[in-house]
Amino acid sequence: QVQLVESGGGLVQAGGSLRLSCSASGRIFSINAMGWYRQAPGKQRELVAGITSIGTTTYADSVKGRFTISRDNAKNTVYLQMSSTKPEDTAVYYCNTNARAGYGWPFADYWGQGTQVTVSS
């Protein structure tokens, strides 16, 4: 199946920048959309940003103008560049992809293990 491995989380001061990466590996035939979600303590998981296979992007209103999502299809990797960070960006960030493992297989959603991002004030 498809495995997702995230990296780049950590501690950053408010106003600083951080870059998250997520690489997909394993049995991959094709990847459709890729995206980043986050979940803060006591809150539901929410979409932060998404990108389709042709590069169409979508962002949560709370991160528009501050975060940028991109992907490298040759490397099956998606990135999230976080700038002008705020304490309310503190959360566990999860990578998500919609992919299929073989020709004719159905698309399925896969999740990474999550990476902690903490923004200090």
Side-chain angles (χ1 to χ4, degrees):
Q1 299 296 331
V2 179
Q3 293 86 41
L4 299 176
V5 177
E6 299 130 336
S7 61
L11 176 65
V12 62
Q13 284 192 330
S17 299
L18 208 59
R19 190 192 195 207
L20 306 183
S21 300
C22 172
S23 295
S25 62
R27 184 172 180 156
I28 301 172
F29 180 78
S30 63
I31 295 178
N32 190 6
M34 302 186 82
W36 290 94
Y37 289 71
R38 67 186 180 187
Q39 188 167 19
K43 295 188 177 181
Q44 289 188 332
R45 190 174 296 188
E46 62 175 358
L47 175 68
V48 176
I51 185 168
T52 68
S53 57
I54 60 171
T56 303
T57 58
T58 185
Y59 295 94
D61 288 341
S62 58
V63 306
K64 282 181 181 177
R66 301 189 298 118
F67 292 6
T68 302
I69 189 170
S70 61
R71 65 189 281 177
D72 185 333
N73 290 334
K75 296 181 179 179
N76 291 331
T77 299
V78 63
Y79 306 95
L80 185 69
Q81 179 66 49
M82 305 169 62
S83 302
S84 302
T85 53
K86 303 176 181 180
E88 49 264 43
D89 294 323
T90 296
V92 177
Y93 284 70
Y94 296 92
C95 176
N96 168 268
T97 187
N98 184 254
R100 56 179 174 171
Y103 177 76
W105 289 37
F107 280 93
D109 279 333
Y110 298 91
W111 293 89
Q113 79 285 356
T115 185
Q116 177 69 46
V117 172
T118 302
V119 182
S120 63
S121 57

